[in-house]
C-alpha cells in the first residue's frame, strides 16, 4: 500500500497501539508547533519501525507541550526489505545524499564498507541514522533500515553468510547490460556492493570475482559516480529481481 502524502509523517520511539499517548520531544515540539504550526486537534501520521503507521491527534495539554494520541492504524507494519546495501563512504554532503537515496530505493540495511581506495569516512553514526529517518518520513517507508558499524571489506567477506548473494558493481566489467546477469540470480537474500570514488583495487576486484557468493554486474558504457551507480543499481535490481515487480 502506498503512503498518504497529504499528511505529515513523523518517526517516534514510543510503542504504538490503540490507546497510545506520547509526549513529543522538545525537538519534535518545535517542528510540530513552530515549523508546521499545527494546532490542537490537527492530525499527523506516526511510525516507529515496529508497529505500522498510525494516525494521531495533536493535543496541547499546555502551551509548551504536545501529546500525540493514537486514533487508528493507517497501514500495517511491512516486512523489512531483504536487500542490503554495502557502500564505501563518500565525503559528507554526498554521503547524506547516498544514504537518503538508498533508503528511498528500498535498501533494508546500510553497511558502510572500508575499501583500499576509500576517501570518505563515517564521522557520525547519528547523522547517518538521522538521514535514514528523514528519508523514511518523507517517502512513507515504515520498515526503517538498520545502519551497521563500518567494516573492512576483507573482514566482511571473510565472515559472509553464503546464502546471501552480493551483487558487485564492477566498473571494470567487460559487459554493459546488467539485466541478463541479474536474471540468473536465484537467491532472494541480496546485497549490493558499490565502490568508492577511487574504485576498487585490482586485488579487491580479483578477490570479489573469485567468491562463489558474488556476482559482478556492469552498469552501462559510462563510469558513474558512486552515488549515481548506487541509485542506478538499486533501480535495475528492484525492477529485475526486487520489489518493483
Ligand atoms: N575511479 C574509478 C571509478 C569509480 S566509480 C574508475 O575510474 O575506474 C565508483 C563505483 O561506482 C565503482 O567502484 C563501482 O562500484 C560503481 N560503478 C561506477 N560506474 C560503473 C559501471 N559502469 N559499471 C559498474 N559499476 C560502476
Amino acid at each position: 500500500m502506498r503512503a498518504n502524502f497529504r499528511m505529515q509523517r513523523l518517526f517516534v520511539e514510543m510503542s504504538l497501539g490503540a490507546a497510545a499517548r506520547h509526549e513529543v520531544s522538545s525537538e519534535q515540539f518545535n517542528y510540530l508547533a513552530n515549523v508546521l504550526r499545527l494546532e490542537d486537534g490537527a492530525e499527523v501520521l506516526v511510525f516507529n519501525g515496529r508497529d505500522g503507521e498510525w494516525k494521531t491527534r495533536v493535543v496541547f495539554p499546555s502551551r509548551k507541550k504536545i501529546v500525540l494520541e493514537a486514533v487508528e492504524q493507517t497501514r500495517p507494519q511491512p516486512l523489512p526489505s531483504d536487500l542490503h546495501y554495502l557502500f564505501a563512504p563518500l565525503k559528507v554532503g554526498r554521503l547524506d545524499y547516498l544514504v537518503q537515496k538508498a533508503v528511498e530505493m528500498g535498501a533494508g540495511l546500510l553497511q558502510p564498507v572500508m575499501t583500499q581506495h576509500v576517501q570518505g569516512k563515517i564521522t557520525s553514526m547519528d547523522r547517518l541514522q538521522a538521514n535514514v529517518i528523514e528519508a523514511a518520513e518523507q517517502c512513507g517507508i515504515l520498515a526503517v533500515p538498520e545502519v551497521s558499524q563500518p567494516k573492512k571489506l576483507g573482514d566482511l567477506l571473510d565472515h559472509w553468510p553464503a546464502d546471501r548473494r552480493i551483487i558487485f558493481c564492477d566498473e571494470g566489467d567487460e559487459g554493459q547490460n546488467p539485466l541478463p546477469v541479474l536474471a540468473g540470480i536465484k537467491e532472494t537474500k541480496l546485497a549490493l556492493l558499490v565502490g568508492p570514488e577511487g574504485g576498487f583495487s585490482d586485488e579487491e576486484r580479483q578477490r570479489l570475482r573469485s567468491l562463489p557468493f558474488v556476482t559482478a554486474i556492469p552498469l552501462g558504457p559510462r563510469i558513474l559516480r558512486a552515488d549515481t551507480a548506487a541509485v542506478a543499481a538499486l533501480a535495475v535490481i528492484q525492477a529485475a529481481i526486487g520489489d518493483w515487480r
Side-chain angles (χ1 to χ4, degrees):
M1 192 183 349
R2 281 224 175 90
N4 169 348
F5 284 98
R6 287 183 298 279
M7 274 171 85
Q8 212 57 51
R9 192 175 298 101
L10 202 65
F11 177 83
V12 295
E13 300 284 352
M14 70 187 274
S15 292
L16 293 165
R21 282 171 58 86
H22 167 65
E23 186 180 326
V24 304
S25 65
S26 54
E27 209 173 275
Q28 288 177 330
F29 176 91
N30 187 43
Y31 180 68
L32 294 171
N34 302 330
V35 180
L36 298 180
R37 301 191 163 278
L38 295 181
E39 292 179 359
D40 196 83
E43 288 178 334
V44 285
L45 297 171
V46 303
F47 65 105
N48 58 11
R50 306 184 301 274
D51 302 323
E53 180 187 69
W54 286 75
K55 183 153 86 181
T56 62
R57 190 173 299 113
V58 174
V59 179
F60 284 80
S62 73
R63 268 187 349 116
K64 295 257 178 273
K65 267 190 196 170
I66 288 181
V67 169
L68 296 176
E69 287 179 355
V71 177
E72 60 180 354
Q73 192 180 47
T74 42
R75 286 188 295 156
Q77 183 65 29
L79 288 175
S81 146
D82 212 357
L83 173 56
H84 296 181
Y85 172 42
L86 320 177
F87 62 99
L90 307 180
K91 302 222 174 89
V92 167
R94 296 186 89 85
L95 183 63
D96 291 343
Y97 171 88
L98 177 140
V99 167
Q100 290 165 12
K101 299 300 138 184
V103 174
E104 281 177 49
M105 295 299 296
L109 176 137
L110 276 64
Q111 171 67 67
V113 180
M114 305 315 281
T115 63
Q116 284 178 9
H117 297 326
V118 65
Q119 284 159 345
K121 60 172 190 270
I122 304 294
T123 48
S124 158
M125 290 295 283
D126 285 348
R127 181 163 178 156
L128 224 65
Q129 195 68 55
N131 275 305
V132 167
I133 287 173
E134 192 185 311
E137 285 176 339
Q138 237 169 43
C139 299
I141 291 160
L142 299 181
V144 181
E146 226 182 281
V147 186
S148 299
Q149 290 290 337
K151 291 205 177 91
K152 287 193 184 144
L153 179 61
D155 294 345
L156 195 71
L157 296 177
D158 287 346
H159 300 106
W160 192 259
D163 62 342
R164 184 177 294 279
R165 179 149 298 272
I166 298 180
I167 301 170
F168 147 58
C169 295
D170 183 2
E171 68 271 26
D173 196 282
E174 302 281 301
Q176 297 194 2
N177 185 355
L179 294 174
V181 188
L182 292 174
I185 290 180
K186 301 278 179 296
E187 291 86 347
T188 52
K189 293 184 178 180
L190 300 172
L192 166 69
L193 170 64
V194 179
E197 293 296 8
F200 289 102
S201 70
D202 289 343
E203 193 187 327
E204 288 170 335
R205 288 187 57 230
Q206 262 172 25
R207 169 145 196 227
L208 282 163
R209 283 183 159 266
S210 74
L211 292 167
F213 50 79
V214 175
T215 298
I217 57 164
L219 291 171
R222 290 167 291 277
I223 296 284
L224 308 173
R225 294 192 71 165
D227 44 1
T228 317
V231 177
L234 286 164
V236 289
I237 291 170
Q238 294 292 32
I241 54 173
D243 68 6
W244 286 11
R245 288 168 303 163

